[in-house]
Amino acid sequence: MQMNIKKILPLFLSIVLLISPSMTASAVRTDVEAVSLGVELSLFSESALLMEASTGEVIYEKNADERLEPASVTKVMSLLLICEALDEGVISLSDMVTGSDKASSMGGSQIWLEVGEQMSVDDMLKAMVVVSANDCTVAMSEHLAGSEESFVAKMNEKAAELGMKNTHFVNCTGLPVEGHYTCARDIAIMTRELLKHEVILNYTNIWMDSLRGGAMGLSNTNKLIRFYPGANGMKTGYTSSAKYCLSATAKRDGMQLIGAVMKAPTSDERFQDAKKLLDFGFANFSVYNTEVTELPEMRIKGGVKPYAPVEYAAKEILVAKGREKQIETYMQLLDEVKAPVKAGDVVGKMIYKIGEETVAEVDVVMSEDVSRMGFGDVIRRIFTGTMAM
């Protein structure tokens, strides 16, 4: 069967939130590299990476796969597992969590949780995000998994699932311990996954708050929340061996960026590096949101029905700023398919181009199953005059 290639009118811009898992790999990296190739940002941090969240495209990197101590940026993964449990209904924000001997004995950043003290999941999350409370992090790990060790096993399972190739967790807090490491790329990966759970933004956007009925004040360790336009997260980290780390997130004009920095010499230099990464992304890139348009039905040869609908998902495309206006969309479909067919079978592509360069492709798939005609179906079609030739 031959392919028909039809040029259709460029799709109008619209904001679409659904991204299909069936999308093919995008060639947009070519466009990203056209801007970032040869650009070397002056950074204090030993390792760094800038990622656009909706596409997962890496815009800039420096030693991004180097295994380093993440300090409390570890809690991004702890928070991800908690948010998954919330979204799945395993726990709720009103559930009460009890402080254990182990939780109350944690050093480093803490809210001095007492043994037997009860605090809601909502307040625990607030303490974890805003002041990086190690005691609350351990209490939550025990509440969810029975022990910190069991929770850490789940953290490592999730890291493997997400393709975090240079990560191994030994605890849920980020306190120094041998064999506990990650890298800037993996920090961006787990931060991107955490951003899919909107509940986390209720906490990462807090600048100042309180606990225990106002008796204990909280001030966010992530200074970007107050001083960087569009900042909406995510997590700071520091130990004497890890130095200053940060997963910084910000959103402007519909584009969500993630900047990961590791082993900055000072706290100020950590934030300077994060701002430099985010500024570079916002100044040079934008996200083009494609629109889903109605497509002609697919002819089904030998099917119980002669035609069936097809569909494709919207796609977000990262391009150099200004190039989004040059994108044209092309449809490529098979003339027909032979029954039986199943929903999800690929029957064509939507192709997005800038000039001769393909910047993205999306599979066009069958929307429903269509079985092969039996003898009775053939007879009925003959008599009703609906036989497809």
Side-chain angles (χ1 to χ4, degrees), residues 219-264:
S219 180
N220 202 324
T221 56
N222 182 5
K223 306 308 178 188
L224 297 183
I225 293 299
R226 182 177 181 185
F227 298 109
Y228 190 82
N232 57 4
M234 182 59 64
K235 191 69 197 71
T236 59
Y238 168 78
T239 66
S240 58
S241 53
K243 302 304 179 185
Y244 293 88
C245 304
L246 175 65
S247 172
T249 62
K251 187 173 185 178
R252 294 183 194 168
D253 299 323
M255 183 168 70
Q256 175 75 61
L257 295 181
I258 301 166
V261 297
M262 301 187 74
K263 211 165 186 178

Side-chain angles (χ1 to χ4, degrees), residues 17-275:
L17 298 179
L18 178 64
I19 303 177
S20 169
S22 65
M23 290 177 187
T24 57
S26 166
V28 72
R29 282 288 295 165
T30 304
D31 202 53
V32 173
E33 289 168 354
V35 173
S36 58
L37 188 64
V39 174
E40 186 172 342
L41 301 179
S42 177
L43 302 176
F44 298 102
S45 303
E46 186 168 318
S47 174
L49 183 137
L50 178 65
M51 176 185 287
E52 196 284 314
S54 66
T55 62
E57 290 288 345
V58 174
I59 296 173
Y60 184 87
E61 59 183 86
K62 172 189 175 183
N63 302 328
D65 297 308
E66 183 179 356
R67 294 179 175 182
L68 296 169
E69 294 179 58
S72 281
V73 177
T74 297
K75 294 185 177 76
V76 170
M77 181 59 80
S78 300
L79 291 164
L80 173 57
L81 295 187
I82 294 168
C83 288
E84 286 184 341
L86 283 168
D87 287 350
E88 292 165 6
V90 176
I91 58 172
S92 70
L93 291 174
S94 60
D95 288 351
M96 301 304 291
V97 180
T98 303
S100 67
D101 288 333
K102 182 176 183 179
S104 64
S105 68
M106 287 295 105
S109 302
Q110 58 183 306
I111 61 162
W112 297 277
L113 187 69
E114 296 182 2
V115 177
E117 181 180 3
Q118 289 196 315
M119 192 169 286
S120 68
V121 170
D122 182 48
D123 281 345
M124 286 276 178
L125 282 170
K126 190 186 299 183
M128 287 176 64
V129 173
V130 179
V131 294
S132 198
N134 294 321
D135 42 7
C136 291
T137 306
V138 171
M140 282 300 306
S141 75
E142 294 170 336
H143 184 74
L144 272 176
S147 69
E148 183 183 10
E149 293 75 18
S150 295
F151 187 79
V152 171
K154 293 180 183 296
M155 292 170 66
N156 285 314
E157 288 173 8
K158 190 67 180 181
E161 177 188 323
L162 293 174
M164 296 166 57
K165 297 178 181 179
N166 290 293
T167 294
H168 181 256
F169 298 114
V170 179
N171 60 45
C172 64
T173 58
L175 287 169
V177 62
E178 186 177 353
H180 186 96
Y181 57 82
T182 188
C183 66
R185 190 182 313 279
D186 288 355
I187 287 173
I189 290 171
M190 64 179 173
T191 300
R192 182 189 183 209
E193 192 69 17
L194 180 55
L195 282 167
K196 295 177 183 178
H197 302 271
E198 294 185 5
V199 66
I200 196 63
L201 298 178
N202 295 337
Y203 305 95
T204 57
N205 278 303
I206 293 173
W207 172 238
M208 299 189 75
D209 210 317
S210 63
L211 291 173
R212 298 182 175 114
M216 181 176 188
L218 305 176
S219 180
N220 202 324
T221 56
N222 182 5
K223 306 308 178 188
L224 297 183
I225 293 299
R226 182 177 181 185
F227 298 109
Y228 190 82
N232 57 4
M234 182 59 64
K235 191 69 197 71
T236 59
Y238 168 78
T239 66
S240 58
S241 53
K243 302 304 179 185
Y244 293 88
C245 304
L246 175 65
S247 172
T249 62
K251 187 173 185 178
R252 294 183 194 168
D253 299 323
M255 183 168 70
Q256 175 75 61
L257 295 181
I258 301 166
V261 297
M262 301 187 74
K263 211 165 186 178
T266 70
S267 180
D268 282 347
E269 288 167 341
R270 159 182 62 184
F271 293 122
Q272 286 180 48
D273 282 357
K275 288 190 286 186

Side-chain angles (χ1 to χ4, degrees), residues 327-349:
I327 293 178
E328 291 188 330
T329 306
Y330 298 81
M331 178 177 65
Q332 186 182 73
L333 291 178
L334 292 168
D335 290 330
E336 63 178 21
V337 292
K338 186 176 180 180
V341 297
K342 293 188 177 296
D345 284 353
V346 177
V347 295
K349 295 178 183 292

